[in-house]
Amino acid sequence: MSIISYSIFRYLGTGQSLASLHFSFLIGKSTASVIIRETCVAIWNALHAAVMGQPQKEQWQEIADVFMQTCQFPNCAGAIDGKHIRIKKPVRTGSQFYNYKKYFSFVLFAMCDANYSFRYIDVGSYGSRSDSAVFAHSEFGKLLHDKALDLPENTALPGTTSPAMPFVFVADEAFALGENLMRPYSSRGLSVARRVFNYRLTRARRVVECAFGILANKWRFLHTPIHLKLETAISAVKAACVLHNFVRARDGFNFEDSLTHSLHSHRPSVVRGHRQGAAVREQFTAYFMSPQGPYHGS
């Protein structure tokens, strides 16, 4: 491995400062910054299509099958969430990147499958934005809204013949309820059936939290504020995400629990759901309480 390659992975893996790289490899700090940016862009361009390409209909079905097997949530095509990536204040940006945690950040929005691999990411939105706003303005959010994701046709849940249910993504309270987007019920005055739904949804949504944990614990530059130019920091995060998928596909990842990490979630915002989404959620709730939909797992 060349000194340049080693310095890049040393930075991504440890979060060493540019000054530390300067003394370790006898390269200028500005040179190190340029090397990081260009190499991370090259990593993204080389790996993105291979390890993070948009799934087709058959692949969506395979993702849903794994969610059903591991999380007992049928017709689930993915789990979505957003995390703050801490950065130094970008020049001439005012308070756009200043978040509710009182530090500067941009957002890493991600959708992952039940194998903890990222299937879609959006990196660089203002830290002051809510998860729902980031989602709505992302390419993935627009494709989902326009029904252009090539999801499988609506199908009945396991053990039933009707009604035909859509494939959905699971999220937390920060996202708006929709026909293809499930969020938990409000925690006040929950019936037993709604508590069961919230538990099953949380079990499925937990995989994206684990994916963020694996990412941050593997590429430890995410544990500390990123002292790079904004464009370079965004490129570094994108490179880490595709490397995460590459390592997952090649080696897998053995862990007991990777929920502990330094990436902060967005503050939940009040967003209104759609009536059609509420009807789909009620159908899932009824299914989980039916003889065909009990929880079977550890």
Side-chain angles (χ1 to χ4, degrees):
M1 181 181 290
S2 69
I3 291 179
I4 290 179
S5 299
Y6 186 75
S7 67
I8 293 300
F9 289 104
R10 182 80 171 267
Y11 172 76
L12 295 177
T14 66
Q16 281 190 330
S17 66
L18 294 181
S20 178
L21 293 177
H22 163 67
F23 287 111
S24 297
F25 301 100
L26 301 180
I27 55 177
K29 289 186 285 187
S30 60
T31 301
S33 179
V34 171
I35 290 172
I36 290 171
R37 183 185 71 249
E38 293 182 352
T39 306
C40 287
V41 169
I43 290 172
W44 170 263
N45 290 337
L47 294 180
H48 173 245
V51 302
M52 204 184 291
Q54 181 173 318
Q56 302 302 311
K57 189 168 296 183
E58 296 77 12
Q59 293 171 304
W60 286 122
Q61 184 63 62
E62 292 172 0
I63 292 171
D65 291 342
V66 178
F67 266 105
M68 183 59 189
Q69 180 183 357
T70 60
C71 304
Q72 285 73 52
F73 201 107
N75 288 26
C76 181
I80 65 176
D81 200 3
K83 295 294 179 182
H84 289 286
I85 305 298
R86 189 188 293 258
I87 57 173
K88 70 176 183 178
K89 181 183 182 298
V91 295
R92 295 187 292 275
T93 57
S95 60
Q96 291 173 320
F97 289 92
Y98 195 65
N99 65 43
Y100 78 102
K101 290 282 189 178
K102 311 301 182 186
Y103 61 81
F104 292 95
S105 68
F106 59 74
V107 177
L108 165 59
F109 167 80
M111 185 275 288
C112 79
D113 61 27
N115 290 319
Y116 311 103
S117 293
F118 297 112
R119 293 301 186 130
Y120 174 85
I121 60 171
D122 182 274
V123 187
S125 293
Y126 299 139
S128 58
R129 278 185 169 181
S130 67
D131 271 345
S132 57
V134 173
F135 171 71
H137 289 88
S138 69
E139 179 186 0
F140 178 80
K142 293 174 182 177
L143 289 172
L144 182 62
H145 179 270
D146 296 337
K147 298 187 181 299
L149 282 176
D150 195 28
L151 292 173
E153 299 296 328
N154 292 5
T155 184
L157 301 180
T160 67
T161 57
S162 65
M165 297 287 288
F167 282 74
V168 300
F169 298 90
V170 293
D172 62 17
E173 299 89 344
F175 294 86
L177 182 66
E179 180 184 2
N180 299 105
L181 184 59
M182 294 290 101
R183 54 172 282 176
Y185 289 100
S186 172
S187 59
R188 292 178 295 178
L190 288 177
S191 65
V192 173
R194 291 187 174 189
R195 287 180 185 275
V196 170
F197 173 86
N198 281 3
Y199 171 75
R200 298 282 280 272
L201 182 141
T202 300
R203 181 176 172 84
R205 194 191 64 79
R206 184 176 179 269
V207 300
V208 70
E209 291 283 350
C210 287
F212 283 131
I214 297 168
L215 175 73
N217 290 330
K218 184 77 171 179
W219 309 106
R220 300 188 69 84
F221 79 103
L222 295 169
H223 279 275
T224 58
I226 302 177
H227 292 281
L228 299 171
K229 292 182 179 180
L230 179 61
E231 296 79 7
T232 305
I234 291 172
S235 295
V237 172
K238 291 169 68 175
C241 289
V242 294
L243 287 171
H244 165 92
N245 279 14
F246 178 79
V247 172
R248 289 281 311 152
R250 189 191 65 179
D251 300 333
F253 191 95
N254 297 319
F255 68 104
E256 293 180 358
D257 194 338
S258 298
L259 284 174
T260 302
H261 54 77
S262 60
L263 308 182
H264 293 141
S265 299
H266 276 183
R267 178 172 52 189
S269 57
V270 179
V271 286
R272 300 182 65 132
H274 299 288
R275 185 175 303 175
Q276 194 168 5
V280 172
R281 184 168 64 176
E282 288 294 334
Q283 290 286 350
F284 274 108
T285 303
Y287 173 76
F288 292 147
M289 295 300 292
S290 71
Q292 294 78 24
Y295 170 66
H296 299 290
S298 56

